[in-house]
C-alpha cells in the first residue's frame, strides 16, 4: 500500500461468513470491522418466517429484495395490534405491501417495520443496518436461538431484543413448511 492510499473492501459473490438456521440464513458481507457507517448482510428468508413488527430506537435499516416476494411494513399504524401486523393501516391510509425484486424499504429509527415470507419459495434480500456493530451482534445471538428449530420462544426473543434496543410489537414466528414426501 502506498502511504496515504486507502484500500476498499471487495466481497465477491458467494463470499462472506454464512450462518444457516431452519428459520433464516444470513451472510455477513460488511461488518463494523470494515465500515464505521453500516453493516451489510444477504438474508435468505424461508417460507413461513415472520420477523414480527418491531421498532429500533437508534438503528436505521435498508432492505432491498433480490429474489422472491415478502410482505413488508414500514409505517406507524393507527393502532398497534399486538398479535398480527398484516392488517395495520397508517393514519394516511398506507398498508402492508408485497415486495418483489427491486423493491427498497428504508426504515428510520423509531419506525415500526416488519417482513414476512408467506409464499412457498425462499426470498433473498440485501439488508443494511447502521450504525454497526449492533445488528451483527444481534444476528449472532438470534441465529443461535433460531438454530434450535421450532417456533421462536417469545420470552427469549423479548430479552434479546431489549438488549439491542429493539421493541417487539408482534411476535416473531416461524412455521416450517411440511416436509415433502414422495409417495
Amino acid at each position: 500500500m502506498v502511504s496515504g492510499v486507502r484500500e476498499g473492501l471487495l466481497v465477491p459473490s458467494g463470499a462472506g461468513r454464512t450462518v444457516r438456521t431452519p428459520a433464516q440464513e444470513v451472510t455477513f458481507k460488511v461488518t463494523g470491522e470494515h465500515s464505521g457507517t453500516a453493516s451489510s448482510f444477504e438474508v435468505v428468508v424461508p417460507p413461513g418466517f415472520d420477523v414480527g413488527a418491531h421498532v429500533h430506537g437508534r438503528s436505521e435499516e435498508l432492505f432491498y429484495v433480490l429474489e422472491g416476494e415478502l410482505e413488508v411494513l414500514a409505517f406507524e399504524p393507527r393502532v398497534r395490534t399486538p398479535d398480527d401486523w398484516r392488517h395495520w393501516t397508517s393514519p394516511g391510509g398506507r398498508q402492508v405491501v408485497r415486495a418483489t425484486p427491486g423493491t427498497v424499504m428504508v426504515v428510520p429509527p423509531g419506525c415500526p417495520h416488519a417482513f414476512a415470507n408467506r409464499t412457498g419459495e425462499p426470498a433473498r434480500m440485501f439488508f443494511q443496518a447502521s450504525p454497526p456493530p449492533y445488528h451483527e451482534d444481534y444476528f449472532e445471538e438470534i441465529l443461535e436461538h433460531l438454530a434450535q428449530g421450532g417456533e421462536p420462544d417469545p420470552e427469549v426473543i423479548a430479552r434479546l431484543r431489549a438488549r439491542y434496543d429493539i421493541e417487539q410489537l408482534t411476535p416473531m414466528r416461524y412455521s416450517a413448511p411440511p416436509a415433502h414426501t414422495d409417495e
Side-chain angles (χ1 to χ4, degrees):
M1 181 166 105
V2 178
S3 180
V5 176
R6 294 189 49 131
E7 293 184 8
L9 172 68
L10 175 64
V11 183
S13 176
R17 184 172 64 83
T18 300
V19 179
R20 289 178 182 86
T21 74
Q24 215 170 46
E25 177 181 310
V26 176
T27 301
F28 292 69
K29 294 292 193 176
V30 179
T31 65
E33 177 183 342
H34 303 104
S35 173
T37 306
S39 301
S40 300
F41 314 89
E42 187 174 312
V43 179
V44 176
V45 183
F49 183 78
D50 177 347
V51 74
H54 59 282
V55 176
H56 300 277
R58 65 178 174 260
S59 292
E60 179 172 279
E61 297 179 323
L62 177 141
F63 301 84
Y64 184 93
V65 178
L66 300 167
E67 295 175 357
E69 294 181 2
L70 295 169
E71 287 185 358
V72 297
L73 158 91
F75 57 79
E76 181 64 54
R78 286 186 188 128
V79 177
R80 291 182 177 183
T81 54
D83 188 52
D84 190 356
W85 54 268
R86 290 182 296 167
H87 304 292
W88 287 5
T89 303
S90 77
R94 288 182 64 193
Q95 297 180 330
V96 170
V97 171
R98 182 179 351 143
T100 57
T103 301
V104 174
M105 179 171 77
V106 177
V107 182
C111 178
H113 59 289
F115 62 86
N117 185 346
R118 302 194 197 286
T119 74
E121 299 296 322
R124 191 169 59 94
M125 67 179 169
F126 173 79
F127 167 63
Q128 192 168 54
S130 64
Y134 302 115
H135 240 81
E136 298 161 37
D137 298 340
Y138 167 72
F139 267 147
E140 295 283 356
E141 290 189 50
I142 194 83
L143 291 169
E144 186 176 304
H145 175 67
L146 295 174
Q148 298 171 17
E151 192 72 25
D153 181 327
E155 290 181 19
V156 171
I157 300 299
R159 285 192 307 271
L160 175 62
R161 288 194 158 185
R163 282 201 314 277
Y164 289 98
D165 194 30
I166 304 169
E167 178 186 0
Q168 190 73 31
L169 304 176
T170 65
M172 177 184 286
R173 296 183 169 107
Y174 175 62
S175 301
H180 177 73
T181 57
D182 293 323
E183 293 187 38

